[in-house]
Amino acid sequence: MEPPSGPASRRHVPWSRLLLAVSLLTFWTPPTTAQLTIETVPPLTAEGSDVLLLAHNVSESPLGYAWHRGERVDDAQLIASYRVDNNATTNGSVYRGWETLYPNGTRLIQNVTQKDTGSYTLLVTKKDLQTEIQTGHLHVYPVLPTPVITSNNSNPREHEDTVVLTCGYETQNTSYMWWINNQSLSKSMRLELSKDKRTLTVVAVTRNDTGPYVCEARNPVSFSRSDPFTLDVLWQENSRALGVGAITGIVIGVLLVMILLAGLGRFIFLHRGNWPPASTSGHGPSGSSVSQASLRDARPPTPIYQELLRPDTDVYCHISHKADVGP
């Protein structure tokens, strides 16, 4: 049986396409007027500069505008209002004198300070007396001065003291970086950074940690680097003190040795004539015929006062022996 004639597209339209078409028709709505928005120009504002709070998508031919401090419309926080038909500006209770309102709703703030940071609300009154309200935000960042590195110890001792270096004054929204000898910090067990990286701790400082150290402070609108800072580690003075002590000890030791050697030399020189000659064992008759008596007779003559103080008993006995011999 042949299939029925007719357009095949009617019989093969998927249900998914039909459901999609129904969904689009169900949720489609006509375009609406763009909403009022507030843009901060420049978006990152430095202290002392001028900033615009631009009003976008303002309704045509409005009756007037009013700017308020804060996130809601509050007459007690009215900065200024502007009436379009007569170009009249009325200042509010928080107007400070350096703000200008333009006919398109834009607000200029000159020479901003950190006190200007906050929210600002624009009220637009339409011809039909309907109103539009939108809030913008302004954040003013300080221009960072040159940071100064300070140390908790002006004269640390090598291997004994721990040094804490601080980069400038603490400010919000500021990041910090450090360099040692023109190089970024390397991983070391003796170098510790605080959570905000503003403080650098050098544990058990050594002579190789003298620096110079440089830190940088940075925020969204400015950055500044410190002058080089050098640690005065006391290893040099200690080395001199130890050197003087060591040299003094060496000199004293050398002098003592020289005195002892001089005394020993004098003693040897004075008594070298009183020493008996070393005996040698001879070979043959001449060597064996040397007697103790000959060795005694070979000694140098003893001074008479030594003989009187220490008489030689052998000599007296020898004389007595001769006396007993008969003719």
Side-chain angles (χ1 to χ4, degrees), residues 13-28:
V13 174
W15 283 99
S16 59
R17 292 184 181 179
L18 294 176
L19 291 175
L20 178 60
V22 171
S23 299
L24 291 175
L25 291 173
T26 301
F27 294 101
W28 179 83

Side-chain angles (χ1 to χ4, degrees), residues 62-205:
L63 296 179
Y65 313 96
W67 280 96
H68 299 260
R69 184 71 185 260
E71 296 183 351
R72 61 189 181 90
V73 175
D74 184 358
D75 290 340
Q77 296 295 319
L78 177 65
I79 299 171
S81 61
Y82 180 82
R83 186 170 176 175
V84 176
D85 58 353
N86 60 2
N87 296 327
T89 300
T90 303
N91 297 327
S93 59
V94 295
Y95 178 77
R96 290 184 294 176
W98 51 80
E99 298 164 325
T100 303
L101 266 64
Y102 294 99
N104 61 356
T106 295
R107 174 170 167 250
L108 170 67
I109 309 175
Q110 294 176 307
N111 194 23
V112 293
T113 68
Q114 293 186 64
K115 294 181 178 180
D116 294 318
T117 297
S119 300
Y120 297 89
T121 298
L122 173 62
L123 171 67
V124 179
T125 303
K126 303 179 183 179
K127 285 183 177 181
D128 57 2
L129 300 182
Q130 297 294 318
T131 58
E132 288 183 296
I133 299 175
Q134 188 57 263
T135 300
H137 303 279
L138 172 63
H139 194 112
V140 180
Y141 297 92
V143 177
L144 297 175
T146 301
V148 176
I149 298 177
T150 57
S151 172
N152 69 324
N153 192 337
S154 58
N155 298 111
R157 294 168 295 180
E158 186 178 26
H159 301 305
E160 297 183 17
D161 294 334
T162 293
V163 177
V164 179
L165 303 177
T166 304
C167 182
Y169 297 101
E170 183 178 5
T171 55
Q172 295 182 349
N173 303 303
T174 303
S175 59
Y176 301 90
M177 296 181 65
W178 288 87
W179 287 267
I180 302 177
N181 297 322
N182 297 322
Q183 296 181 355
S184 57
L185 294 184
S186 59
K187 292 183 179 180
S188 173
M189 296 297 294
R190 296 189 305 104
L191 296 179
E192 300 176 358
L193 280 173
S194 60
K195 187 175 181 180
D196 61 356
K197 299 184 179 181
R198 177 171 166 259
T199 299
L200 174 64
T201 301
V202 185
V203 180
V205 66

